Amino acid sequence: MGSMFRSEEMSLVQMIIPTDAAYEVVGQLGELGIAQFRDLNPEVSAFQRHYVNEVRRCDEMERRVRFFELQLGKAEIPIPDVEEVPSEVGRSSASHPSPQQMDELEYKFTQLDKELKEINTNEEMLDRNNLELTELSHILRSTREFFEEAQTHNFDDNSAAAPGGRDEHASLLGDAEAGAVYGAHTVRVGFVAGAIPRERIPVFERVLWRATRGNAFLRHAPVDADLTDPTTNTVVPKSVFLVFFQGDQLEARVRKIAEGFSATIYPCPQTANERYDLGLQVAQRLQDLESVLKKTRDHRRRVLATVALQISSWSIQIKKIKGIFHTLNMFNIDASSKCLVSEAWVPNCFLPDMRGALSRATERSSSTIPPIVHVLATRLKPPTFHRLNKFTAGFQNIVDAYGVASYREVNPAPFAIITFPFLFAVMFGDFGHGFLMALAAWALIHWEKPLARYKEGGEIFDTFFGGRYIILLMGLFSIYTGLIYNDIFSRSVDFFGSGWDVPSVTKVVVGNWTGYSGTFNGTFYDGLTHNTSLPEDLYLDPLWNTHTYVFGMDPVWAMAENRLTFLNPYKMKMSVILGVCQMLFGIVLGVFNHTYFKRTLNIVCEFIPQVLFLLCIFGYLVLMIFYKWANFWPHSKAPSLLITLINMFLKFGNIETEDILYGAEGAQANLQSALVIIALMCVPWMLIPKPYLLIRANKRHAHAPLHDHDDQGHLLGGEEHAAPQVAAVKAADEPEEESHEPGEIIVHQCIHTIEFCLGCISNTASYLRLWALSLAHAQLSEVLWDMVMHAGFGNPALLFFAWGGWAFLTIAVLLIMEGLSAFLHALRLHWVEFQNKFYEGTGRKFHPFSFEALIKGQDEE
Amino acid sequence: MAPPEKKKFQLSIRFCGPKCSSCCMVFSIWGILMLIVLGILFKVKTVSLFEDTDDSSKTGTNCFIAAGIYAGTLLLSLCQRKLNQNRPAAPAHQYAMDSEA
């Protein structure tokens, strides 16, 4: 039965599995996700475990998949989701792969890895060739340009006076050319040509100058084409250079310097004709290279495209295999290494499923011996598991964020489904805001499936999306409380006709005229609309009330000057009533824990005095609140409840005349004295009997050594215990004694008692936040309307902007900011004020081995 | 030369992204509905709105005009949405198709 009230009953199951079927068994259980395996060899390090080689193989395959992903990213090929891949490719991801498939996968990966690496080296080599040829062609072109330029300058040399330095260079160049080409009788002038990263040119030039003592001359020109370095794949701006010099010694020196600057030097023919021929050759080779490169790239792209289709399902499969081997590493290996022994927590409701999975696994692995399964009796605390659906999961998360319920403890989550949105709505009461909130949540729910796959929203969006059902309920409850408060974007609506009949003596202002309005017979508003004016200083007097408004606040209060004097005490009292009810409910829930865990002592020594204490003080306050609401003090000041409550203690046995609420003077005083005596008696009742009885019981335990043996809380595993202990599971639920030292017991009880008594007072005061936040919300939305909307009513264009600003601020401030603040306060009221009355929250969550969780959790790791 | 010009023209018309235009659309719808309701309430001289105006009939008309302006922004945002939807989608499966060809 899927009840949320308590967590599911758990069994510790021992399985003895033949080694050849173990992989399949874990795989089947992983598909179902129903078993949490215990680590049976925690003292063994990760490297000494049995299946460490398999895990290492999986790591290697994961590395390969990452390499493929990197390649895909470089080639800018998108990786489709598993759902988008055609079924015949993605089908293998539906169930976990067998060990044979793992081998196949590994082989496939090795092949692919080799192929891709080969293609990559080829491509890099081709790219390098391409780069070199391109550089060479640039060098040839610039060399030609240099010499042509030099020649023209040479001719001009005598005729025109060109600017100094340049002219010198030109003539030198001319000489060089002459020397190189024709110079049989001059000293040989040689040159070295190459390419160098552009930013190194100035330094290169300076070093050359120094090293050759000015006897080398450098010409350089930037290469305008983008040259990509094949190893780093970045664009490096380069320049080509020509260095002219005389003699072989200098040549060697120049070459060395150029190498030192990581320049590439290309053999450049000396004569113009040879250079021209080489240019043609280079162009031809470049063309060939281009077509080869294109083919290589196409091939690579084809290979990667097939990889892209399968890569998601591959990585899922590897995750599954790795998960299975990790789990297998937790198992104990039998001495004969013929079978594995494992222990797992399984919810009782899933035990039949587990047996089904085991028999399926035996079938699939064609093992002859079925695994042996039995339930172990244990004193270990089982993990907590609640069966949830997408609606209840959000509320369980709220509770789990505070503390995971102890095993089989009363779970506050099912009650939070109603109380949480309700307390939120008390603070957030506005029909308009609630409606918008519910609408937004409805949109999240309506487009649930596409939004669940939307991953770019970030953490904030995920939080809102995860809490969509909570937000929906919060919105709906806010609509309800908004109707009670009669607030729609801070304005009131008159649905049923006001119950107030304001007499004619009210002062009204019409334009400059101040006077007294006519009678408002029955309907208050008609008179007002007729006069298009407002009664100033409209202080509503209870005597004018003719009947109660049908539902919620009477809309007339929206116009009354004494609105807040009425609303504040009303909401304050409401908060106290709600708070006392919720705290009382929390204490009562404790009884279910006490009876379930058979702690009769706690019922007598904790539950009864706690209830009496709360009811005698705050229960009485609630009764007084109702009494005061029901009665009417027309001519005298009504007694203040808070003062009355305080005086109940301070002026014990007496009563001030202004505190008298009901009955004769003596009656109220006597009743209050009796309540105070009962409440004060509850304190020692909570404090003394329980530690006394516990200590006495412990002393008796000490005389009975048999019990001590049981108290160790050790696992009663092993073969000799296994058979008779199925019936003993129930005994494992018995609580472990928290402490045995008498001092500890007494201190613990003292803290507990003081915490409860002070807590009752401070928690009741804490519930006043319901009133405070509700007031703040109502006032803020009224201020927003008055400051922003009000300003725009005179002019349509202004109204357009005023409404836009108002709508934006309503969303940003009133819905999101105020909503978050009210949410946090509601959370606090549940965690602190409600749950500390009964909830331990010291359990640990059930984490079954499940492929689904493995695949989903890939980002968390 | 004609196609690139046309493309540039289209780009300049689409000044809102898909999220922005959807957001504007929602706000416009809310604005129209709420301002029409407000206008009607002013016209029938609802008492709760008394503090907001001296001349409720004129204010009601103002509300209707502002609702009209929001109808304009609604049309605009709908156009933007349409343009966003017609925009060529990112070449998601192009490579896969190439490889099969």
Side-chain angles (χ1 to χ4, degrees):
Chain A
M1 196 188 95
S3 156
M4 265 184 90
F5 187 58
R6 291 182 198 285
S7 61
E8 295 292 325
E9 283 188 52
M10 289 276 174
S11 301
L12 186 64
V13 174
Q14 189 184 47
M15 288 177 268
I16 301 169
I17 316 163
T19 318
D20 47 349
Y23 181 91
E24 202 53 49
V25 165
V26 176
Q28 291 287 349
L29 290 176
E31 298 291 351
L32 292 175
I34 54 172
Q36 177 177 352
F37 291 97
R38 289 188 63 226
D39 193 352
L40 293 184
N41 22 358
E43 70 286 351
V44 181
S45 82
F47 304 106
Q48 292 168 332
R49 298 199 175 203
H50 194 250
Y51 289 97
V52 67
N53 275 335
E54 281 78 1
V55 172
R56 205 167 285 156
R57 271 167 67 197
C58 289
D59 282 339
E60 177 64 16
M61 293 206 299
E62 273 187 334
R63 191 192 62 73
R64 292 222 158 110
V65 166
R66 275 201 299 278
F67 170 71
F68 297 152
E69 273 169 4
L70 201 74
Q71 294 294 320
L72 286 173
K74 261 190 196 165
E76 288 168 1
I77 297 176
I79 301 171
D81 269 359
V82 183
E83 292 94 47
E84 295 169 23
V85 179
S87 58
E88 81 276 0
V89 187
R91 199 183 51 202
S92 46
S93 69
S95 78
H96 62 280
S98 63
Q100 291 84 2
Q101 277 170 316
M102 177 185 171
D103 294 338
E104 280 167 30
L105 219 61
E106 202 173 21
Y107 178 70
K108 206 190 278 175
F109 282 4
T110 325
Q111 291 300 102
L112 259 177
D113 195 64
K114 221 167 96 187
E115 191 177 354
L116 268 177
K117 275 188 177 143
E118 221 164 76
I119 295 173
N120 282 350
T121 23
N122 276 347
E123 199 183 338
E124 202 185 311
M125 210 175 67
L126 289 172
D127 272 336
R128 190 164 294 284
N129 275 347
N130 192 16
L131 177 75
E132 281 170 4
L133 284 175
T134 324
E135 279 180 5
L136 185 54
S137 76
H138 276 282
I139 285 167
L140 289 172
R141 189 152 16 114
S142 357
T143 322
R144 199 179 64 227
E145 276 164 18
F146 288 155
F147 285 126
E148 273 169 8
E149 195 185 333
Q151 266 167 358
T152 47
H153 274 283
N154 208 12
F155 294 137
D156 293 347
D157 201 18
N158 300 326
S159 54
R166 174 144 188 196
D167 190 41
E168 263 170 43
H169 293 173
S171 66
L172 178 67
L173 268 184
D175 288 346
E177 169 86 313
V181 182
Y182 315 104
H185 43 268
T186 50
V187 184
R188 203 183 74 87
V189 174
F191 66 90
V192 168
I196 190 170
R198 200 172 293 167
E199 76 268 10
R200 297 202 170 173
I201 281 279
V203 189
F204 181 53
E205 193 167 12
R206 208 168 307 144
V207 171
L208 258 186
W209 178 262
R210 296 233 170 102
T212 60
R213 295 162 206 267
N215 283 325
F217 170 62
L218 175 84
R219 283 300 305 258
H220 59 87
V223 178
D224 36 359
D226 284 337
L227 298 175
T228 315
D229 189 349
T231 39
T232 57
N233 241 338
T234 47
V235 176
V236 184
K238 282 199 169 178
S239 287
V240 295
F241 63 87
L242 276 171
V243 186
F244 299 94
F245 47 80
Q246 284 186 333
D248 293 337
Q249 273 194 337
L250 270 184
E251 180 175 359
R253 202 176 289 173
V254 166
R255 277 181 189 278
K256 244 179 213 158
I257 292 170
E259 267 165 29
F261 277 83
S262 68
T264 14
I265 291 170
Y266 293 97
C268 190
Q270 299 284 328
T271 66
N273 277 344
E274 278 172 17
R275 282 203 293 272
Y276 180 70
D277 285 347
L278 184 66
L280 284 182
Q281 274 176 29
V282 166
Q284 179 66 35
R285 272 162 64 193
L286 261 177
Q287 222 167 22
D288 293 348
L289 206 62
E290 203 89 313
S291 67
V292 177
L293 250 180
K294 193 168 172 290
K295 269 184 193 145
T296 317
R297 284 193 186 130
D298 277 353
H299 178 54
R300 178 160 178 260
R301 175 139 280 183
R302 258 198 306 280
V303 172
L304 285 179
T306 47
V307 169
L309 283 181
Q310 286 169 293
I311 195 157
S312 311
S313 82
W314 284 345
S315 72
I316 288 173
Q317 286 181 337
I318 295 171
K319 278 209 182 79
K320 286 183 176 180
I321 300 172
K322 200 175 165 187
I324 291 174
F325 282 120
H326 264 306
T327 310
L328 286 177
N329 269 339
M330 293 182 185
F331 292 3
N332 247 337
I333 298 195
D334 190 64
S336 61
S337 80
K338 289 249 171 59
C339 57
L340 295 171
V341 181
S342 77
E343 281 173 18
W345 292 109
V346 180
N348 282 358
C349 53
F350 288 143
L351 281 176
D353 292 336
M354 193 194 75
R355 286 178 208 280
L358 290 185
S359 65
R360 236 174 302 141
T362 324
E363 228 168 78
R364 271 188 65 168
S365 62
S366 56
S367 158
T368 45
I369 316 154
I372 301 161
V373 178
H374 45 229
V375 176
L376 294 180
T378 175
R379 293 189 69 87
L380 289 176
K381 254 194 176 171
T384 308
F385 172 62
H386 295 109
R387 287 168 90 176
L388 301 168
N389 54 30
K390 59 185 175 180
F391 176 75
T392 50
F395 294 96
Q396 188 68 52
N397 276 344
I398 287 180
V399 172
D400 284 351
Y402 174 78
V404 177
S406 306
Y407 179 63
R408 299 293 287 161
E409 186 185 18
V410 168
N411 181 14
F415 311 108
I417 292 175
I418 296 303
T419 54
F420 186 85
F422 179 69
L423 289 189
F424 171 86
V426 169
M427 294 180 268
F428 198 73
D430 189 303
F431 180 90
H433 301 152
F435 181 73
L436 290 180
M437 186 174 268
L439 204 65
W442 173 83
L444 284 178
I445 291 167
H446 189 254
W447 287 289
E448 196 167 57
K449 278 183 184 142
L451 283 173
R453 280 205 301 276
Y454 179 69
K455 290 193 183 73
E456 285 101 72
E459 203 181 336
I460 295 176
F461 173 78
D462 289 347
T463 312
F464 280 111
F465 183 67
R468 57 197 181 279
Y469 289 100
I470 303 175
I471 298 175
L472 179 72
L473 281 191
M474 291 189 324
L476 293 178
F477 276 81
S478 299
I479 291 176
Y480 170 70
T481 49
L483 285 177
I484 288 182
Y485 296 159
N486 211 337
D487 271 340
I488 300 180
F489 297 120
S490 83
R491 302 286 103 171
S492 303
V493 171
D494 182 16
F495 285 119
F496 308 108
S498 172
W500 292 73
D501 190 1
V502 179
S504 55
V505 286
T506 312
K507 196 165 78 174
V508 292
V509 180
V510 183
N512 295 329
W513 178 78
T514 311
Y516 292 94
S517 74
T519 42
F520 306 110
N521 273 333
T523 42
F524 168 63
Y525 294 131
D526 284 349
L528 281 179
T529 42
H530 184 67
N531 286 321
T532 64
S533 68
L534 265 182
E536 263 189 10
D537 314 329
L538 174 63
Y539 282 95
L540 287 179
D541 189 320
L543 287 172
W544 303 341
N545 194 338
T546 56
H547 62 272
T548 313
Y549 190 66
V550 178
F551 181 79
M553 281 298 169
D554 196 311
V556 74
W557 286 108
M559 340 195 43
E561 289 290 313
N562 53 349
R563 176 177 185 223
L564 285 183
T565 2
F566 165 65
L567 263 188
N568 281 346
Y570 165 73
K571 286 184 176 174
M572 263 191 254
K573 286 168 185 161
M574 194 70 109
S575 310
V576 170
I577 293 170
L578 291 175
V580 171
C581 288
Q582 201 187 17
M583 289 193 294
L584 188 66
F585 181 54
I587 298 173
V588 170
L589 280 181
V591 175
F592 289 92
N593 276 339
H594 301 327
T595 51
Y596 185 84
F597 294 122
K598 304 207 170 56
R599 300 173 191 153
T600 331
L601 190 62
N602 284 8
I603 298 182
V604 180
C605 301
E606 270 178 11
F607 166 68
I608 294 174
Q610 279 179 353
V611 168
L612 277 179
F613 185 83
L614 185 72
L615 285 183
C616 284
I617 300 174
F618 295 101
Y620 178 61
L621 177 64
V622 169
L623 284 182
M624 285 200 292
I625 288 171
F626 278 111
Y627 185 83
K628 196 176 165 186
W629 271 342
N631 285 280
F632 184 39
W633 283 259
H635 299 297
S636 62
K637 219 169 145 250
S640 158
L641 295 182
L642 188 63
I643 304 286
T644 310
L645 190 72
I646 293 171
N647 283 347
M648 202 167 126
F649 287 87
L650 293 185
K651 301 195 169 135
F652 178 72
N654 298 313
I655 194 157
E656 305 280 317
T657 33
E658 65 260 28
D659 287 350
I660 293 176
L661 200 65
Y662 55 87
E665 191 174 317
Q668 191 178 350
N670 290 341
L671 179 61
Q672 287 182 354
S673 312
L675 290 174
V676 168
I677 290 170
I678 296 175
L680 289 182
M681 269 174 38
C682 286
V683 179
W685 187 356
M686 279 185 264
L687 199 60
I688 298 166
K690 191 184 165 190
Y692 171 72
L693 291 172
L694 275 181
I695 292 168
R696 214 180 58 176
N698 276 341
K699 268 188 191 149
R700 229 180 274 156
H701 261 247
H703 294 299
L706 257 177
H707 273 268
D708 251 13
H709 178 67
D710 259 10
D711 278 349
Q712 295 299 320
H714 72 279
L715 170 69
L716 296 174
E719 294 294 328
E720 73 278 11
H721 288 288
Q725 251 137 33
V726 183
V729 183
K730 205 72 198 164
D733 287 332
E734 275 174 12
E736 290 162 28
E737 301 302 331
E738 286 146 358
S739 55
H740 303 291
E741 291 288 316
E744 260 179 61
I745 294 175
I746 292 169
V747 167
H748 181 263
Q749 193 63 24
C750 277
I751 293 172
H752 195 73
T753 308
I754 293 170
E755 191 197 352
F756 178 81
C757 295
L758 292 185
C760 270
I761 298 160
S762 71
N763 290 355
T764 309
S766 182
Y767 274 98
L768 286 178
R769 72 186 68 232
L770 292 174
W771 153 68
L773 265 96
S774 147
L775 174 74
H777 186 76
Q779 291 294 300
L780 207 60
S781 63
E782 196 173 335
V783 163
L784 186 68
W785 184 281
D786 287 346
M787 301 292 277
V788 182
M789 271 301 262
H790 189 79
F793 280 126
N795 178 337
L798 205 59
L799 184 58
F800 171 76
F801 290 109
W803 186 85
W806 175 85
F808 173 74
L809 287 174
T810 296
I811 300 266
V813 177
L814 291 180
L815 279 181
I816 296 180
M817 241 178 67
E818 278 275 289
L820 276 178
S821 117
F823 182 92
L824 286 180
H825 282 283
L827 203 59
R828 187 222 138 94
L829 286 180
H830 276 82
W831 282 356
V832 180
E833 273 75 24
F834 176 51
Q835 291 184 7
N836 79 354
K837 299 286 183 293
F838 67 100
Y839 188 59
E840 266 178 33
T842 52
R844 66 204 159 88
K845 221 174 181 172
F846 177 59
H847 285 294
F849 170 66
S850 142
F851 290 142
E852 209 180 324
L854 268 184
I855 294 157
K856 262 191 199 159
Q858 53 195 14
D859 307 323
E860 290 161 25
E861 281 169 29
Chain B
M1 286 312 285
E5 263 180 35
K6 197 181 171 191
K7 197 175 178 188
K8 197 177 174 192
F9 181 58
Q10 275 211 336
L11 271 178
S12 68
I13 258 189
R14 191 184 66 80
F15 53 85
C16 272
K19 279 177 197 163
C20 174
S21 54
S22 302
C23 180
C24 288
M25 184 185 74
V26 171
F27 266 88
S28 302
I29 293 172
W30 180 18
I32 293 167
L33 292 178
M34 187 159 164
L35 285 168
I36 285 176
V37 169
L38 262 183
I40 293 170
L41 290 179
F42 272 119
K43 287 284 183 192
V44 301
K45 302 188 177 170
T46 305
V47 174
S48 309
L49 296 171
F50 241 64
E51 293 161 8
D52 288 319
T53 180
D54 298 327
D55 183 354
S56 60
S57 165
K58 185 171 160 276
T59 313
T61 318
N62 287 347
C63 285
F64 290 138
I65 295 170
I69 303 178
Y70 273 107
T73 60
L74 175 65
L75 277 181
L76 198 67
S77 58
L78 281 178
C79 286
Q80 293 292 317
R81 255 174 81 87
K82 196 109 189 154
L83 283 173
N84 277 315
Q85 279 163 0
N86 289 347
R87 198 169 53 137
H93 302 292
Q94 202 175 319
Y95 300 118
M97 285 172 185
D98 283 354
S99 70
E100 279 154 25

